[in-house]
Amino acid sequence: MAILSPLATEVFIPVAAVIGIVFAVVQWVLVSRVKLSPTAAAASGGGKNGYGDYLIEEEEGLNDHNVVVKCAEIQNAVSEGATSFLFTEYQYVGIFMSIFAVVIFLFLGSVEGFSTKSQPCTYSKDKYCKPALFTALFSTVSFLLGAITSLVSGFLGMKIATYANARTTLEARKGVGKAFITAFRSGAVMGFLLASSGLVVLYITINVFKLYYGDDWEGLFESITGYGLGGSSMALFGRVGGGIYTKAADVGADLVGKVERNIPEDDPRNPAVIADNVGDNVGDIAGMGSDLFGSYAESSCAALVVASISSFGIDHDFTGMCYPLLVSSVGIIVCLITTLFATDFFEVKAVKEIEPALKKQLIISTALMTVGIAVISWLALPAKFTIYNFGTQKDVSNWGLFFCVAIGLWAGLIIGFVTEYYTSNAYSPVQDVADSCRTGAATNVIFGLALGYKSVIIPIFAIAVSIYVSFSIAAMYGIAVAALGMLSTIATGLAIDAYGPISDNAGGIAEMAGMSHRIRERTDALDAAGNTTAAIGKGFAIGSAALVSLALFGAFVSRAGVTVVDVLSPKVFIGLIVGAMLPYWFSAMTMKSVGSAALKMVEEVRTQFNTIPGLMEGTAKPDYATCVKISTDASIKEMIPPGALVMLTPLIVGTLFGVETLSGVLAGALVSGVQIAISASNTGGAWDNAKKYIEAGASEHARTLGPKGSDCHKAAVIGDTIGDPLKDTSGPSLNILIKLMAVESLVFAPFFATQGGILFKYL
């Protein structure tokens, strides 16, 4: 038996989650000490980290009350824009959620013809399990819970980011260290809220469902899979809708503002500038939050489903069963200690210390987490146990599972650093892309695409090795916990990720409020580091999506009763080839949506520059609201077709062609989707940072390419504009496509196994 008693498990998981939530609240209180009212701006007293430093230099504008008022106004406009967009989006998503909840209930309820009699269990035929009708009902409830948790976590993240952006700008007047800490703390609020709420909701759901299911753990954890489906389906709409919104505004603002009118980024004369800043919050924060929550919920669900039909479930070993949740609980505690390293133990004093400070977060959290996993594997798992492996039970030891989780964790770090190498302008790949701008935009595009394709190589090997090792040790359960390992430091990962858009917004607010160029330089330095860390975050999200969807695929194949997926069988092969095509179809939809929305935006911005007298001179104000409306309308309208493609494919394929073809589709989508997602994200990130490298002019080489407005710079801006939809719309949405199709197939597996394959039955 395990050393940790069931009672200790029951206490430890919710306590860890509560500690995470309390820590998030404490960080939020510290951020809120930076006041947005002119009177308190100069005198925020008390303690370390910028609360007692009276650096009142006149040139930094600390006594300029107008600047504070302006910052507060701009922050208010951004916050209102983001809130109104999310409310509009959630109304549409709410309708979809209700319809899909009914579909889940009808499909799963019809498996046994809506009977309320107990049925023989799927895996242990000698036992009786609860009726399919109730599993349908509980799956629907957990779907709604996952969806609501996902929406709430995205919304709270956006609220915190819009709360912190102007505060970061004001702190930048005192120095780069103060601004860094404000932005990072705000990111931590989101990271810890999301990790803790995801864990606590899942834990409560399991315990409430257990009241009905009793000893039927197979049915209990099958119904819990709906939680992952809910989380991911909301993430899809958040990612696609938010991505279209942010990039339509960004492309419109950049093309007309920088290339045609030669005005700086985030210039208040640019009509699309508020929409651009709103977009950072709804796409990069709310979308990213929902996306990582989805991965986290799904990897937990995949591990729990496989565990419920292994010795943990058969012997009703509650502590062993909760191993995935215990790993996440340890992760919250580890991330809490890691965060203190950035905010309290070491202070960032100069611009060059920003990126190393963020990288240290990843390394410290990974190192500490490795120790944490070793301890929890020793405490929570019996020395020997068996894991379900396609019809047989495989013997596994507790150290074996430790290696599975650890290899996922370290593979995540490797993917993160490779991504950073290819997208940071401190290294040669991005500098080569910047250099290629000498001969115009065409060579810039060629170099950027080549860089993206090349950046796929090492991450794929890292994913391949972790799949092989974890599967050899503990079958599909090994892959599921490897994915959980990669996501175990989700609180730190999200803190680093949310830090980027907050810094980006802070720079925009500094420019719009007319602050001195020195402050803009500080916020630009924060933003450049944030861009690289955002690319690292996307690398994590894609790597974990690959492992999660493979684990879900394994659970689906087991549940649907497919013993072997034969690639040479025509049923499977047609699925494979169609599945591999889906990421391209999906990318085409999202890219075209951004293009058509950007077209409207460019026309609107041009019209305003041409028709509003005194706009270029700065004597008249642009009409920001129209641009915000264009982005909102476009993204709401355009997010539905890609969403429908992903949500309907498994239903149509499973119902008409059956489980074998569906398993081919899932495998094909996984294999091609991961490659496109990595290359799209890295190409876009490299183009963006090549442009920033030229703009900053920090090295001799960069100065030969600049300054802003030169032909080289214009070529770089064009590359950056092409990369925008790649890195912020198509790339990040693809990892949701891979996971969502797999988790949806798993939830509907009982229906497909009994009723699916209509066409092949009658042909």
Side-chain angles (χ1 to χ4, degrees):
M1 282 302 288
I3 300 169
L4 201 66
S5 69
L7 180 68
T9 308
E10 297 253 7
V11 173
F12 178 64
I13 296 172
V15 165
V18 170
I19 290 173
I21 292 169
V22 169
F23 184 70
V25 173
V26 170
Q27 297 298 316
W28 179 78
V29 169
L30 290 171
V31 171
S32 66
R33 282 195 188 173
V34 181
K35 293 291 177 253
L36 269 181
S37 50
T39 46
S44 49
K48 192 180 165 187
N49 286 341
Y51 302 116
D53 299 1
Y54 290 94
L55 282 169
I56 306 176
E57 306 166 35
E58 286 302 318
E59 59 167 356
E60 298 295 10
L62 267 188
N63 288 343
D64 186 350
H65 295 333
N66 291 345
V67 166
V68 184
V69 173
K70 258 190 186 164
C71 283
E73 274 174 15
I74 297 160
Q75 181 214 20
N76 210 15
V78 171
S79 182
E80 276 174 16
T83 308
S84 78
F85 167 72
L86 286 181
F87 274 130
T88 313
E89 183 183 64
Y90 292 168
Q91 282 166 4
Y92 285 86
V93 166
I95 297 166
F96 159 79
M97 243 166 67
S98 319
I99 296 169
F100 207 74
V102 174
V103 170
I104 293 176
F105 180 70
L106 292 177
F107 271 57
L108 293 181
S110 69
V111 171
E112 301 290 348
F114 296 99
S115 93
T116 50
K117 293 192 182 75
S118 291
Q119 303 292 335
C121 297
T122 314
Y123 299 99
S124 350
K125 297 287 182 200
D126 51 333
K127 290 185 190 159
Y128 271 84
C129 285
K130 300 287 183 192
L133 184 68
F134 286 98
T135 301
L137 180 67
F138 282 107
S139 293
T140 310
V141 172
S142 60
F143 165 76
L144 292 170
L145 278 172
I148 292 163
T149 313
S150 179
L151 292 185
V152 170
S153 51
F155 185 75
L156 286 177
M158 181 281 298
K159 272 294 184 205
I160 291 149
T162 52
Y163 182 81
N165 49 19
R167 287 172 166 80
T168 306
T169 312
L170 293 175
E171 286 292 274
R173 297 175 308 173
K174 300 178 190 169
V176 76
K178 305 285 176 284
F180 169 77
I181 282 174
T182 304
F184 189 78
R185 279 192 200 284
S186 323
V189 176
M190 179 184 175
F192 283 93
L193 268 184
L194 194 136
S196 308
S197 58
L199 175 65
V200 83
V201 174
L202 181 58
Y203 180 72
I204 292 169
T205 310
I206 291 171
N207 278 318
V208 171
F209 283 14
K210 219 162 91 186
L211 299 175
Y212 167 75
Y213 278 101
D215 283 347
D216 173 15
W217 284 16
E218 192 183 293
L220 165 64
F221 290 102
E222 191 171 295
S223 61
I224 289 287
T225 51
Y227 184 71
L229 176 63
S232 244
S233 50
M234 294 310 103
L236 176 74
F237 290 107
R239 252 301 188 208
V240 174
I244 293 169
Y245 185 107
T246 175
K247 290 305 114 182
D250 197 358
V251 170
D254 280 3
L255 279 182
V256 185
K258 287 189 197 165
V259 177
E260 293 178 15
R261 295 279 168 172
N262 246 347
I263 57 176
E265 189 160 2
D266 297 316
D267 191 295
R269 294 171 290 179
N270 194 329
V273 71
I274 294 282
D276 185 8
N277 281 304
V278 169
D280 289 338
N281 293 298
V282 296
D284 296 349
I285 300 255
M288 185 69 182
S290 294
D291 178 4
L292 280 175
F293 167 75
S295 281
Y296 168 74
E298 283 161 338
S299 54
S300 306
C301 292
L304 291 168
V305 167
V306 180
S308 70
I309 49 176
S310 304
S311 62
F312 299 139
I314 297 162
D315 304 340
H316 292 93
D317 171 6
F318 186 74
T319 306
M321 194 68 224
C322 285
Y323 179 68
L325 301 181
L326 288 164
V327 169
S328 306
S329 309
V330 173
I332 291 174
I333 308 294
V334 163
C335 291
L336 193 152
I337 299 165
T338 311
T339 304
L340 296 176
F341 276 96
T343 55
D344 295 87
F345 300 156
F346 301 111
E347 257 188 288
V348 171
K349 291 189 176 64
V351 166
K352 62 176 185 296
E353 291 172 15
I354 300 170
E355 214 166 294
L358 292 169
K359 281 202 278 191
K360 272 184 204 142
Q361 285 287 298
L362 287 174
I363 296 167
I364 294 167
S365 62
T366 306
L368 290 177
M369 192 63 205
T370 309
V371 178
I373 298 164
V375 172
I376 203 73
S377 303
W378 173 60
L379 290 175
L381 296 170
K384 287 270 182 286
F385 46 91
T386 63
I387 293 289
Y388 184 83
N389 179 22
F390 300 124
T392 59
Q393 293 283 350
K394 185 182 174 81
D395 290 316
V396 185
S397 71
N398 52 3
W399 290 113
L401 270 198
F402 159 70
F403 281 120
C404 292
V405 184
I407 197 162
L409 180 67
W410 285 91
L413 190 70
I414 291 168
I415 293 172
F417 279 133
V418 170
T419 309
E420 193 235 358
Y421 172 72
Y422 280 106
T423 57
S424 164
N425 52 27
Y427 304 106
S428 59
V430 171
Q431 292 174 8
D432 291 345
V433 172
D435 195 62
S436 70
C437 294
R438 289 176 196 276
T439 45
T443 40
N444 179 26
V445 170
I446 293 167
F447 269 72
L449 286 173
L451 176 144
Y453 298 147
K454 197 175 168 190
S455 70
V456 174
I457 301 167
I458 299 172
I460 291 296
F461 278 122
I463 293 170
V465 169
S466 46
I467 288 171
Y468 184 78
V469 173
S470 51
F471 188 86
S472 306
I473 295 172
M476 276 300 169
Y477 188 70
I479 294 174
V481 292
L484 258 180
M486 208 178 267
L487 291 165
S488 58
T489 51
I490 184 173
T492 297
L494 263 172
I496 292 174
D497 221 53
Y499 155 88
I502 292 170
S503 311
D504 191 355
N505 260 209
I509 291 172
E511 183 75 50
M512 285 187 269
M515 291 174 142
S516 74
H517 72 97
R518 288 181 55 178
I519 291 172
R520 181 72 220 220
E521 276 170 15
R522 286 172 190 168
T523 55
D524 275 355
L526 290 172
D527 183 19
N531 241 347
T532 305
T533 54
I536 294 176
K538 286 177 190 136
F540 261 95
I542 295 164
S544 63
L547 292 177
V548 168
S549 66
L550 186 59
L552 290 164
F553 176 65
F556 158 72
V557 169
S558 304
R559 181 63 188 85
V562 178
T563 43
V564 87
V565 178
D566 179 8
V567 180
L568 295 175
S569 144
K571 284 184 189 177
V572 175
F573 194 81
I574 56 168
L576 263 180
I577 203 156
V578 170
M581 172 274 295
L582 287 173
Y584 289 92
W585 188 1
F586 179 82
S587 297
M589 283 179 168
T590 48
M591 298 272 291
K592 192 154 185 280
S593 302
V594 172
S596 56
L599 202 69
K600 288 182 195 140
M601 189 65 80
V602 168
E603 283 167 3
E604 174 60 31
V605 175
R606 276 183 188 153
T607 309
Q608 290 199 28
F609 272 125
N610 294 333
T611 56
I612 299 177
L615 183 56
M616 271 307 278
E617 294 70 39
T619 51
K621 279 186 85 169
D623 173 11
Y624 297 128
T626 309
C627 291
V628 171
K629 189 173 179 339
I630 287 174
S631 261
T632 304
D633 294 349
S635 56
I636 298 292
K637 188 172 108 236
E638 303 278 359
M639 76 181 180
I640 294 165
L645 173 73
V646 179
M647 299 299 288
L648 295 177
T649 301
L651 286 178
I652 293 168
V653 173
T655 309
L656 297 181
F657 300 95
V659 285
E660 287 182 48
T661 309
L662 180 54
S663 44
V665 168
L666 295 178
L670 167 63
V671 168
S672 83
V674 172
Q675 330 283 340
I676 307 174
I678 297 175
S679 67
S681 294
N682 291 350
T683 294
W687 276 328
D688 193 350
N689 275 342
K691 174 202 72 176
K692 284 200 165 62
Y693 175 73
I694 294 173
E695 285 176 353
S699 67
E700 194 54 52
H701 174 238
R703 282 192 287 276
T704 60
L705 301 169
K708 284 187 186 179
S710 66
D711 285 346
C712 256
H713 178 244
K714 282 186 176 165
V717 170
I718 291 169
D720 174 36
T721 311
I722 299 169
D724 273 338
L726 284 173
K727 80 173 186 335
D728 289 324
T729 313
S730 299
S733 309
L734 279 173
N735 53 37
I736 304 178
L737 168 134
I738 307 166
K739 298 178 308 197
L740 186 50
M741 282 172 39
V743 74
E744 192 182 326
S745 306
L746 172 60
V747 169
F748 286 102
F751 174 81
F752 296 149
T754 52
Q755 274 35 14
I758 297 168
L759 281 185
F760 290 137
K761 279 180 188 165
Y762 301 113
L763 284 177

